[in-house]
Coordinates of all heavy atoms in Angstrom, one line a residue:
M135 N 96.6 92.9 122.2 CA 97.1 92.6 120.8 C 98.1 91.5 120.9 O 99.0 91.5 121.7 CB 97.6 93.8 120.2 CG 98.0 93.6 118.7 SD 98.4 95.1 117.8 CE 100.1 95.1 118.0
V136 N 98.0 90.5 120.0 CA 99.0 89.4 119.9 C 99.4 89.4 118.4 O 98.6 89.5 117.5 CB 98.3 88.1 120.3 CG1 99.3 86.9 120.1 CG2 97.9 88.2 121.7
A137 N 100.7 89.2 118.2 CA 101.2 89.1 116.8 C 101.8 87.7 116.6 O 102.2 87.0 117.5 CB 102.4 90.1 116.6
A138 N 101.7 87.2 115.3 CA 102.3 85.9 115.0 C 103.1 86.1 113.7 O 102.7 87.0 112.8 CB 101.2 84.9 114.8
N139 N 104.1 85.3 113.5 CA 105.0 85.5 112.3 C 104.7 84.5 111.2 O 105.3 84.7 110.1 CB 106.4 85.4 112.7 CG 106.8 86.6 113.6 OD1 106.5 87.7 113.3 ND2 107.5 86.3 114.7
N140 N 104.0 83.5 111.4 CA 103.7 82.5 110.4 C 102.4 81.7 110.7 O 101.8 81.9 111.8 CB 104.9 81.5 110.3 CG 105.3 80.8 111.6 OD1 104.4 80.3 112.3 ND2 106.5 80.9 112.0
S141 N 102.0 80.9 109.7 CA 100.7 80.2 109.9 C 100.6 79.3 111.0 O 99.6 79.3 111.8 CB 100.3 79.5 108.6 OG 100.2 80.4 107.5
P142 N 101.6 78.4 111.3 CA 101.5 77.6 112.5 C 101.4 78.4 113.8 O 100.7 78.0 114.7 CB 102.8 76.7 112.4 CG 103.2 76.7 111.0 CD 102.8 78.1 110.5
E143 N 102.1 79.5 113.8 CA 102.0 80.3 115.0 C 100.7 80.9 115.2 O 100.1 81.0 116.3 CB 103.1 81.4 115.0 CG 103.3 82.1 116.3 CD 104.4 83.1 116.2 OE1 105.3 83.1 115.3 OE2 104.5 83.9 117.2
I144 N 100.1 81.4 114.1 CA 98.7 81.9 114.1 C 97.8 80.9 114.7 O 96.9 81.2 115.5 CB 98.3 82.4 112.7 CG1 99.1 83.6 112.2 CG2 96.8 82.7 112.7 CD1 98.9 84.0 110.8
I145 N 97.8 79.7 114.1 CA 96.9 78.6 114.5 C 97.1 78.3 116.0 O 96.1 78.1 116.8 CB 97.0 77.4 113.6 CG1 96.6 77.8 112.2 CG2 96.2 76.2 114.1 CD1 96.9 76.8 111.1
N146 N 98.3 78.1 116.4 CA 98.6 77.8 117.8 C 98.1 78.9 118.8 O 97.5 78.6 119.8 CB 100.2 77.7 118.0 CG 100.5 77.3 119.4 OD1 99.9 76.4 120.0 ND2 101.5 77.9 119.9
K147 N 98.3 80.1 118.4 CA 97.8 81.2 119.3 C 96.3 81.3 119.3 O 95.7 81.5 120.3 CB 98.4 82.6 118.9 CG 99.9 82.6 119.2 CD 100.5 84.0 118.9 CE 102.0 83.9 119.4 NZ 102.6 85.2 119.4
L148 N 95.7 81.0 118.1 CA 94.2 81.0 118.1 C 93.7 79.9 119.0 O 92.7 80.2 119.8 CB 93.8 80.7 116.6 CG 92.3 80.5 116.5 CD1 91.5 81.9 116.7 CD2 91.9 80.0 115.1
F149 N 94.2 78.7 118.9 CA 93.7 77.6 119.7 C 94.0 77.7 121.2 O 93.4 77.1 122.0 CB 94.3 76.3 119.2 CG 93.8 75.9 117.9 CD1 94.4 74.9 117.2 CD2 92.6 76.4 117.3 CE1 93.9 74.4 115.9 CE2 92.2 76.1 116.1 CZ 92.8 75.1 115.4
N150 N 95.0 78.6 121.6 CA 95.3 78.8 123.0 C 95.0 80.2 123.5 O 95.5 80.6 124.5 CB 96.9 78.5 123.1 CG 97.2 77.1 122.9 OD1 96.7 76.2 123.6 ND2 98.0 76.8 121.9
G151 N 94.1 80.8 122.8 CA 93.7 82.2 123.3 C 92.3 82.5 123.0 O 91.5 81.6 122.5
D152 N 91.9 83.7 123.4 CA 90.5 84.1 123.2 C 90.6 85.5 122.5 O 91.1 86.4 123.2 CB 89.8 84.2 124.5 CG 88.3 84.6 124.4 OD1 87.7 84.4 123.3 OD2 87.8 85.2 125.4
F153 N 90.2 85.6 121.3 CA 90.4 86.8 120.5 C 89.0 87.5 120.1 O 88.1 86.7 119.8 CB 91.2 86.6 119.3 CG 92.6 86.0 119.6 CD1 92.9 84.7 119.7 CD2 93.6 86.9 120.0 CE1 94.1 84.2 120.1 CE2 94.9 86.5 120.3 CZ 95.1 85.1 120.4
D154 N 89.0 88.8 120.1 CA 87.8 89.5 119.6 C 87.8 89.6 118.1 O 86.7 89.6 117.5 CB 87.8 90.9 120.2 CG 87.7 91.0 121.7 OD1 86.9 90.1 122.2 OD2 88.3 91.8 122.3
A155 N 89.0 89.6 117.5 CA 89.1 89.6 116.0 C 90.5 89.1 115.6 O 91.4 89.1 116.4 CB 88.9 91.0 115.5
V156 N 90.6 88.8 114.4 CA 91.9 88.4 113.8 C 92.1 89.2 112.6 O 91.2 89.3 111.7 CB 91.9 86.9 113.4 CG1 93.3 86.5 112.7 CG2 91.7 86.0 114.7
I157 N 93.3 89.9 112.4 CA 93.6 90.6 111.3 C 94.7 89.9 110.6 O 95.8 89.6 111.2 CB 94.0 92.1 111.6 CG1 92.9 92.8 112.3 CG2 94.5 92.8 110.4 CD1 93.3 94.2 112.9
L158 N 94.5 89.5 109.3 CA 95.5 88.8 108.5 C 96.2 89.8 107.5 O 95.5 90.5 106.7 CB 94.9 87.7 107.7 CG 94.3 86.5 108.6 CD1 93.7 85.5 107.7 CD2 95.4 85.9 109.5
C159 N 97.5 89.9 107.6 CA 98.3 90.9 106.9 C 98.3 90.6 105.4 O 98.1 89.4 105.0 CB 99.7 90.9 107.4 SG 100.8 92.1 106.6
N160 N 98.4 91.6 104.6 CA 98.5 91.4 103.1 C 99.8 90.8 102.6 O 99.9 90.5 101.5 CB 98.2 92.7 102.4 CG 99.1 93.9 102.8 OD1 100.0 93.7 103.6 ND2 98.7 95.0 102.4
S161 N 100.7 90.6 103.5 CA 102.0 89.9 103.1 C 101.8 88.4 103.1 O 102.7 87.7 102.5 CB 103.2 90.3 104.0 OG 102.9 89.8 105.3
I162 N 100.8 87.9 103.7 CA 100.5 86.4 103.6 C 99.9 86.1 102.2 O 99.0 86.8 101.8 CB 99.5 86.0 104.7 CG1 100.0 86.4 106.1 CG2 99.1 84.5 104.6 CD1 99.0 86.2 107.2
P163 N 100.4 85.1 101.5 CA 99.9 84.8 100.2 C 98.4 84.6 100.3 O 97.8 84.0 101.3 CB 100.6 83.6 99.8 CG 101.9 83.6 100.6 CD 101.5 84.3 101.9
N164 N 97.7 85.0 99.2 CA 96.2 84.9 99.2 C 95.6 83.5 99.5 O 94.7 83.4 100.3 CB 95.7 85.4 97.8 CG 94.2 85.7 97.8 OD1 93.7 86.2 98.8 ND2 93.6 85.4 96.8
E165 N 96.2 82.5 98.9 CA 95.7 81.1 99.2 C 95.9 80.7 100.7 O 95.0 80.1 101.3 CB 96.3 80.1 98.3 CG 95.7 80.1 96.9 CD 94.2 80.0 96.9 OE1 93.7 79.0 97.5 OE2 93.5 80.8 96.2
E166 N 97.0 81.2 101.3 CA 97.2 80.9 102.7 C 96.2 81.7 103.6 O 95.7 81.2 104.6 CB 98.7 81.2 103.1 CG 99.0 80.8 104.5 CD 99.0 79.3 104.8 OE1 98.7 78.5 103.8 OE2 99.1 79.0 105.9
R167 N 95.9 82.9 103.2 CA 94.9 83.7 103.9 C 93.5 83.0 103.8 O 92.8 83.0 104.8 CB 94.9 85.1 103.5 CG 96.1 85.9 103.9 CD 95.9 87.3 103.8 NE 95.8 87.7 102.4 CZ 95.4 88.9 102.0 NH1 95.1 89.8 102.9 NH2 95.4 89.2 100.7
R168 N 93.2 82.5 102.7 CA 92.0 81.8 102.5 C 91.9 80.6 103.4 O 90.9 80.3 104.1 CB 91.8 81.3 101.0 CG 90.5 80.6 100.8 CD 90.4 80.1 99.4 NE 90.6 81.1 98.4 CZ 89.6 81.8 97.8 NH1 88.3 81.7 98.2 NH2 89.8 82.7 96.9
R169 N 93.0 79.8 103.5 CA 93.1 78.6 104.3 C 93.0 79.0 105.8 O 92.2 78.4 106.6 CB 94.4 77.9 104.1 CG 94.5 76.5 104.8 CD 95.8 75.9 104.5 NE 96.9 76.4 105.3 CZ 97.2 76.1 106.5 NH1 96.5 75.2 107.2 NH2 98.2 76.6 107.2
L170 N 93.7 80.0 106.2 CA 93.7 80.5 107.6 C 92.3 81.0 108.0 O 91.8 80.7 109.1 CB 94.7 81.6 107.9 CG 96.2 81.1 107.9 CD1 97.1 82.3 107.8 CD2 96.4 80.3 109.2
S171 N 91.7 81.7 107.1 CA 90.3 82.2 107.3 C 89.4 81.1 107.6 O 88.5 81.1 108.5 CB 89.8 83.1 106.2 OG 90.6 84.2 106.0
S172 N 89.5 80.0 106.8 CA 88.6 78.9 106.9 C 88.9 78.2 108.3 O 87.9 77.8 109.0 CB 88.9 77.9 105.8 OG 88.1 76.7 105.9
I173 N 90.1 78.0 108.7 CA 90.4 77.4 110.0 C 89.9 78.3 111.1 O 89.3 77.7 112.0 CB 92.0 77.2 110.1 CG1 92.4 76.1 109.1 CG2 92.3 76.9 111.5 CD1 94.0 76.1 109.0
I174 N 90.1 79.6 111.0 CA 89.6 80.5 112.1 C 88.1 80.4 112.2 O 87.6 80.3 113.3 CB 90.1 81.9 111.8 CG1 91.6 82.0 112.0 CG2 89.4 82.9 112.8 CD1 92.3 83.2 111.4
K175 N 87.4 80.5 111.1 CA 86.0 80.5 111.1 C 85.4 79.1 111.5 O 84.4 79.0 112.2 CB 85.4 80.8 109.7 CG 85.6 82.3 109.3 CD 85.2 83.2 110.4 CE 84.2 84.2 109.9 NZ 83.7 85.0 111.0
S176 N 86.1 78.0 111.2 CA 85.7 76.7 111.7 C 85.8 76.6 113.2 O 85.0 76.0 113.9 CB 86.5 75.6 111.0 OG 86.2 75.5 109.6
Y177 N 86.9 77.1 113.7 CA 87.2 77.0 115.1 C 86.4 78.0 116.0 O 85.9 77.6 117.0 CB 88.7 77.3 115.4 CG 89.1 77.2 116.8 CD1 89.2 76.0 117.5 CD2 89.4 78.4 117.5 CE1 89.5 75.9 118.8 CE2 89.7 78.3 118.9 CZ 89.8 77.1 119.5 OH 90.1 77.1 120.8
S178 N 86.2 79.2 115.4 CA 85.5 80.2 116.2 C 84.6 81.0 115.2 O 85.1 82.1 114.8 CB 86.5 81.1 116.9 OG 85.8 82.1 117.7
P179 N 83.5 80.5 114.9 CA 82.6 81.2 113.8 C 82.3 82.7 114.1 O 82.1 83.4 113.2 CB 81.4 80.3 113.8 CG 81.7 79.0 114.4 CD 82.8 79.3 115.3
S180 N 82.2 83.0 115.4 CA 81.8 84.4 115.7 C 83.0 85.4 115.7 O 82.8 86.6 115.9 CB 81.1 84.4 117.1 OG 82.1 84.0 118.1
T181 N 84.2 84.9 115.5 CA 85.4 85.8 115.5 C 85.5 86.4 114.2 O 85.7 85.7 113.2 CB 86.7 85.0 115.9 OG1 86.6 84.4 117.2 CG2 87.9 85.9 115.8
P182 N 85.4 87.8 114.1 CA 85.6 88.4 112.8 C 87.1 88.2 112.3 O 88.0 88.3 113.1 CB 85.4 89.9 113.1 CG 84.7 89.9 114.4 CD 85.1 88.7 115.2
V183 N 87.2 88.0 111.0 CA 88.5 87.9 110.4 C 88.6 89.1 109.4 O 87.7 89.2 108.5 CB 88.7 86.6 109.6 CG1 90.0 86.5 108.9 CG2 88.5 85.4 110.6
I184 N 89.6 89.9 109.6 CA 89.7 91.1 108.7 C 91.0 90.9 107.9 O 92.1 90.6 108.4 CB 89.9 92.4 109.6 CG1 88.6 92.6 110.4 CG2 90.2 93.6 108.7 CD1 88.8 93.7 111.5
L185 N 90.8 90.9 106.6 CA 91.9 90.8 105.6 C 92.4 92.1 105.1 O 91.6 92.9 104.7 CB 91.5 89.9 104.4 CG 91.0 88.5 104.7 CD1 90.5 87.9 103.5 CD2 92.1 87.7 105.4
L186 N 93.7 92.4 105.2 CA 94.2 93.6 104.6 C 94.4 93.4 103.1 O 95.1 92.4 102.7 CB 95.5 94.0 105.3 CG 95.4 94.2 106.8 CD1 96.7 94.7 107.4 CD2 94.2 95.2 107.2
A187 N 93.9 94.3 102.3 CA 94.0 94.2 100.9 C 95.4 94.5 100.4 O 96.0 95.4 100.9 CB 92.9 95.1 100.2
E188 N 95.8 93.8 99.3 CA 97.1 94.1 98.7 C 97.0 95.5 98.0 O 98.1 96.1 97.9 CB 97.5 93.1 97.7 CG 97.8 91.7 98.3 CD 96.8 90.7 97.9 OE1 95.8 91.0 97.3 OE2 97.0 89.5 98.2
M189 N 95.9 95.8 97.5 CA 95.8 97.1 96.8 C 94.4 97.8 97.2 O 93.5 97.0 97.5 CB 95.9 97.0 95.3 CG 94.8 96.2 94.6 SD 95.1 96.1 92.9 CE 95.3 94.4 92.7
Q190 N 94.4 99.1 97.2 CA 93.2 99.8 97.7 C 92.0 99.4 96.9 O 92.1 99.2 95.7 CB 93.5 101.3 97.5 CG 92.5 102.1 98.2 CD 92.9 103.6 98.3 OE1 93.9 104.0 97.7 NE2 92.1 104.4 99.0
G191 N 90.9 99.1 97.6 CA 89.6 98.8 97.0 C 89.4 97.3 96.7 O 88.3 96.9 96.3
R192 N 90.5 96.5 96.8 CA 90.3 95.1 96.6 C 89.4 94.4 97.7 O 89.6 94.8 98.8 CB 91.7 94.4 96.6 CG 91.6 92.9 96.5 CD 92.3 92.4 95.3 NE 92.0 91.0 95.1 CZ 92.9 90.0 94.9 NH1 94.2 90.4 94.9 NH2 92.6 88.8 94.8
K193 N 88.6 93.5 97.3 CA 87.7 92.8 98.3 C 87.9 91.3 98.2 O 88.2 90.8 97.1 CB 86.2 93.2 98.0 CG 85.9 94.6 98.1 CD 85.9 95.1 99.5 CE 85.6 96.6 99.6 NZ 86.0 97.2 100.8
Y194 N 87.7 90.7 99.3 CA 87.8 89.2 99.3 C 86.5 88.7 99.9 O 85.8 89.4 100.6 CB 88.9 88.8 100.3 CG 90.2 89.4 99.9 CD1 90.7 90.5 100.4 CD2 91.0 88.7 98.9 CE1 91.9 91.1 100.1 CE2 92.2 89.3 98.5 CZ 92.7 90.5 99.1 OH 93.8 91.0 98.7
D195 N 86.1 87.5 99.5 CA 84.8 86.9 100.0 C 85.1 85.5 100.5 O 84.8 84.5 99.8 CB 83.8 86.9 98.8 CG 82.5 86.4 99.3 OD1 82.2 86.5 100.5 OD2 81.7 86.0 98.4
Y196 N 85.6 85.4 101.7 CA 85.7 84.1 102.3 C 85.2 84.2 103.7 O 85.8 83.8 104.7 CB 87.1 83.4 102.3 CG 88.3 84.1 101.8 CD1 89.3 84.4 102.6 CD2 88.4 84.3 100.4 CE1 90.5 85.0 102.1 CE2 89.6 84.8 99.9 CZ 90.6 85.1 100.7 OH 91.8 85.6 100.2
G197 N 84.0 84.8 103.9 CA 83.4 85.0 105.2 C 84.2 85.9 106.0 O 84.2 85.8 107.3
T198 N 84.7 86.9 105.4 CA 85.6 87.8 106.1 C 85.2 89.3 105.8 O 84.4 89.5 105.0 CB 87.1 87.6 105.7 OG1 87.2 87.8 104.2 CG2 87.6 86.2 106.0
V199 N 85.9 90.2 106.4 CA 85.8 91.6 106.2 C 87.1 92.0 105.5 O 88.2 91.6 105.9 CB 85.6 92.4 107.5 CG1 85.5 93.9 107.3 CG2 84.3 91.9 108.2
T200 N 87.1 92.9 104.5 CA 88.3 93.4 103.9 C 88.5 94.8 104.3 O 87.6 95.6 104.4 CB 88.1 93.3 102.3 OG1 87.8 92.0 102.0 CG2 89.4 93.7 101.7
S201 N 89.8 95.2 104.5 CA 90.2 96.6 104.8 C 91.3 97.0 103.9 O 92.2 96.2 103.7 CB 90.5 96.7 106.3 OG 91.0 98.0 106.6
D202 N 91.3 98.2 103.5 CA 92.6 98.7 102.9 C 93.6 98.8 104.0 O 93.3 98.8 105.2 CB 92.3 100.1 102.3 CG 91.5 100.1 101.0 OD1 91.5 99.0 100.4 OD2 90.8 101.1 100.8
A203 N 94.9 98.8 103.6 CA 95.9 98.6 104.6 C 96.4 99.9 105.3 O 97.4 99.9 106.0 CB 97.1 97.9 104.0
T204 N 95.7 101.0 105.0 CA 96.2 102.2 105.7 C 95.8 102.2 107.2 O 94.7 101.6 107.5 CB 95.5 103.5 105.1 OG1 94.1 103.4 105.3 CG2 95.8 103.6 103.6
P205 N 96.5 102.7 108.1 CA 96.2 102.7 109.5 C 94.8 103.2 109.8 O 94.0 102.6 110.6 CB 97.3 103.5 110.2 CG 98.4 103.5 109.2 CD 97.8 103.4 107.9
E206 N 94.4 104.3 109.1 CA 93.1 104.9 109.3 C 92.0 104.0 108.9 O 91.0 103.8 109.6 CB 93.0 106.2 108.5 CG 93.9 107.3 109.0 CD 95.3 107.2 108.3 OE1 95.5 106.4 107.4 OE2 96.2 107.8 108.8
Q207 N 92.2 103.3 107.8 CA 91.1 102.3 107.3 C 91.1 101.1 108.2 O 90.0 100.6 108.4 CB 91.4 102.0 105.8 CG 90.3 101.2 105.2 CD 89.0 101.9 105.3 OE1 88.9 103.1 104.9 NE2 87.9 101.3 105.7
I208 N 92.2 100.6 108.7 CA 92.2 99.5 109.6 C 91.4 99.8 110.8 O 90.5 99.1 111.2 CB 93.6 99.0 109.9 CG1 94.3 98.5 108.7 CG2 93.6 97.9 111.0 CD1 95.8 98.3 108.9
V209 N 91.6 101.0 111.4 CA 90.9 101.4 112.6 C 89.4 101.5 112.3 O 88.6 101.1 113.1 CB 91.5 102.7 113.2 CG1 90.6 103.3 114.3 CG2 92.9 102.5 113.7
A210 N 89.1 102.1 111.2 CA 87.7 102.3 110.8 C 87.0 101.0 110.6 O 85.8 100.8 111.0 CB 87.6 103.2 109.5
T211 N 87.7 100.0 110.0 CA 87.1 98.7 109.7 C 86.9 97.9 111.1 O 85.8 97.3 111.3 CB 88.0 97.9 108.8 OG1 88.2 98.6 107.6 CG2 87.5 96.5 108.6
V212 N 87.9 98.0 111.9 CA 87.7 97.3 113.3 C 86.5 98.0 114.0 O 85.7 97.3 114.6 CB 89.0 97.4 114.1 CG1 88.8 97.0 115.5 CG2 90.1 96.5 113.4
H213 N 86.5 99.3 114.0 CA 85.4 100.0 114.7 C 84.0 99.6 114.1 O 83.1 99.3 114.8 CB 85.6 101.5 114.6 CG 84.5 102.3 115.2 ND1 84.4 102.4 116.6 CD2 83.5 103.0 114.6 CE1 83.3 103.1 116.8 NE2 82.7 103.5 115.7
A214 N 83.9 99.6 112.8 CA 82.7 99.2 112.1 C 82.3 97.8 112.4 O 81.1 97.4 112.5 CB 82.8 99.4 110.6
T215 N 83.3 96.9 112.5 CA 83.0 95.5 112.8 C 82.4 95.3 114.2 O 81.5 94.4 114.4 CB 84.4 94.7 112.8 OG1 84.9 94.8 111.5 CG2 84.1 93.2 113.1
F216 N 82.7 96.2 115.1 CA 82.1 96.0 116.5 C 81.1 97.0 116.8 O 80.6 97.0 118.0 CB 83.3 96.1 117.5 CG 84.2 94.9 117.4 CD1 85.4 95.0 116.8 CD2 83.8 93.7 117.9 CE1 86.2 93.9 116.6 CE2 84.6 92.6 117.8 CZ 85.8 92.7 117.2
T217 N 80.7 97.9 115.9 CA 79.6 98.9 116.1 C 78.4 98.4 115.4 O 78.4 98.3 114.2 CB 80.1 100.3 115.6 OG1 81.3 100.6 116.2 CG2 79.0 101.3 116.0
K218 N 77.4 98.1 116.2 CA 76.1 97.7 115.6 C 75.3 98.9 115.2 O 75.2 99.9 116.0 CB 75.3 96.8 116.6 CG 76.1 95.6 116.9 CD 75.2 94.7 117.7 CE 76.1 93.4 118.0 NZ 75.4 92.3 118.5
P219 N 74.6 98.9 114.1 CA 73.8 100.1 113.7 C 72.6 100.2 114.7 O 72.1 99.2 115.2 CB 73.3 99.7 112.3 CG 73.7 98.3 112.0 CD 74.6 97.9 113.1
K220 N 72.3 101.4 114.9 CA 71.1 101.7 115.8 C 69.8 101.3 115.2 O 69.6 101.5 114.0 CB 71.1 103.2 116.2 CG 72.3 103.6 117.0 CD 72.2 105.0 117.4 CE 73.5 105.3 118.2 NZ 73.4 106.5 118.9
A221 N 69.0 100.7 115.9 CA 67.7 100.3 115.4 C 66.8 101.5 115.1 O 66.8 102.5 115.9 CB 66.9 99.4 116.4
S222 N 66.2 101.5 114.0 CA 65.3 102.7 113.7 C 64.0 102.6 114.4 O 63.5 101.5 114.6 CB 65.1 102.8 112.1 OG 64.4 101.6 111.7
S223 N 63.5 103.7 114.8 CA 62.2 103.8 115.5 C 61.2 104.3 114.5 O 61.1 105.5 114.2 CB 62.3 104.6 116.7 OG 62.8 105.9 116.4
A224 N 60.5 103.4 113.9 CA 59.5 103.7 112.9 C 58.1 103.8 113.5 O 57.7 103.3 114.4 CB 59.5 102.7 111.8

């Protein structure tokens, strides 16, 4: 796990690392999260970007996954992001 305190630091760490996913905190202003999501997806399209919602049930649509900000929901969202559904045998 790697933490960053501001947008330039996020971008620098992204360009100098290899990440399975990026979680953007709900304290980052919405427009800045949209911009960061776009940069991350442009640089690494296969890297999931998880946005923490400001309020429960809020969803965002910028090629990202949205999670409520409770610890349990964050863990469930990360788990679901990396768990592929089993193929049905028909």
Side-chain angles (χ1 to χ4, degrees):
M135 184 172 93
V136 175
N139 294 316
N140 54 52
S141 296
E143 190 177 349
I144 292 168
I145 294 167
N146 183 45
K147 288 184 178 192
L148 174 70
F149 290 166
N150 292 301
D152 183 25
F153 298 94
D154 295 322
V156 175
I157 299 174
L158 296 177
C159 183
N160 54 8
S161 66
I162 300 169
N164 195 39
E165 284 305 310
E166 185 64 7
R167 287 194 295 166
R168 181 185 305 271
R169 187 181 79 81
L170 286 168
S171 297
S172 177
I173 291 168
I174 294 164
K175 292 309 236 174
S176 293
Y177 179 73
S178 181
S180 64
T181 300
V183 178
I184 300 170
L185 301 175
L186 301 185
E188 290 113 354
M189 63 180 119
Q190 192 169 6
R192 173 123 190 228
K193 299 289 180 199
Y194 303 94
D195 184 23
Y196 2 115
T198 59
V199 176
T200 305
S201 175
D202 289 333
T204 65
E206 299 81 15
Q207 188 59 48
I208 295 167
V209 170
T211 301
V212 170
H213 179 73
T215 299
F216 292 101
T217 304
K218 297 184 181 196
K220 295 183 182 195
S222 63
S223 54

